[in-house]
Amino acid sequence: MGAGREAFAVRVSVRGYETDSQGHLNGSVYLQYAEHARWSVLQAAGIRQGDLLAKGVGPVTLETTVRYLRELRAGDEVEVTCGFVWGEGKTFRMEQEVRRVDDGSVAARVTAVGGLMDLEARKLVVDPVEYFRALAGDAGVLGL
């Protein structure tokens, strides 16, 4: 994130139907929480899905890695962070943590590589930062 900014985070309650037969959060749900945080940080920056579509682009995930560290159970409250790591080129990285609210312990780390797809050409745009800066009311939330 940008200098002096706290990492963006959104709070989620683990729901019973999201748990598996062992009573802990199903692995695929961590991906849903990460995706929810990504859309939430865009919204906090002032970017809505319709804004992206109006520009003819859409975010795509190219690769995701989840490192599971602690189990979560129904009723646990978590914060899911989302920080962007910008480089040069067509892709960027999103670094996320799923942290328990009660003790701050990290239950999982999610790292994803993403880009912005030109929805007509079906190819990644050359400079996604340009699009995010143009659309954001607060680009600092995105680390720009």
Side-chain angles (χ1 to χ4, degrees):
M1 302 298 302
R5 280 202 182 251
E6 291 293 317
F8 176 86
V10 62
R11 194 172 278 204
V12 178
S13 297
V14 176
R15 294 162 287 245
Y17 62 83
E18 297 172 325
T19 60
D20 60 20
S21 61
Q22 297 172 25
H24 54 70
L25 187 63
N26 182 286
S28 66
V29 180
Y30 287 88
L31 297 173
Q32 294 173 5
Y33 288 2
E35 185 75 10
H36 174 60
R38 290 180 210 149
W39 280 107
S40 294
V41 74
L42 289 177
Q43 197 168 23
I47 301 172
R48 303 221 184 273
Q49 191 174 30
D51 300 331
L52 292 162
L53 294 174
K55 289 282 187 187
V57 296
V60 293
T61 303
L62 304 169
E63 175 183 315
T64 304
T65 303
V66 182
R67 180 173 291 257
Y68 302 99
L69 301 167
R70 307 250 185 295
E71 65 183 356
L72 294 172
R73 297 190 172 276
D76 287 344
E77 292 283 325
V78 297
E79 282 188 335
V80 185
T81 66
C82 187
F84 287 82
V85 179
W86 302 100
E88 295 185 23
K90 297 178 181 181
T91 64
F92 49 89
R93 200 168 69 243
M94 294 158 286
E95 295 180 349
Q96 300 180 266
E97 289 185 340
V98 179
R99 295 190 293 234
R100 292 177 58 95
V101 171
D102 61 358
D103 64 7
S105 64
V106 178
R109 287 195 175 92
V110 180
T111 303
V113 176
L116 271 182
M117 180 182 285
D118 179 314
L119 298 175
E120 187 174 322
R122 306 309 287 176
K123 295 184 181 202
L124 294 180
V125 301
V126 175
D127 187 4
V129 171
E130 174 186 324
Y131 284 86
F132 284 117
R133 275 199 180 113
L135 290 169
D138 181 0
V141 174
L142 303 175
L144 297 172

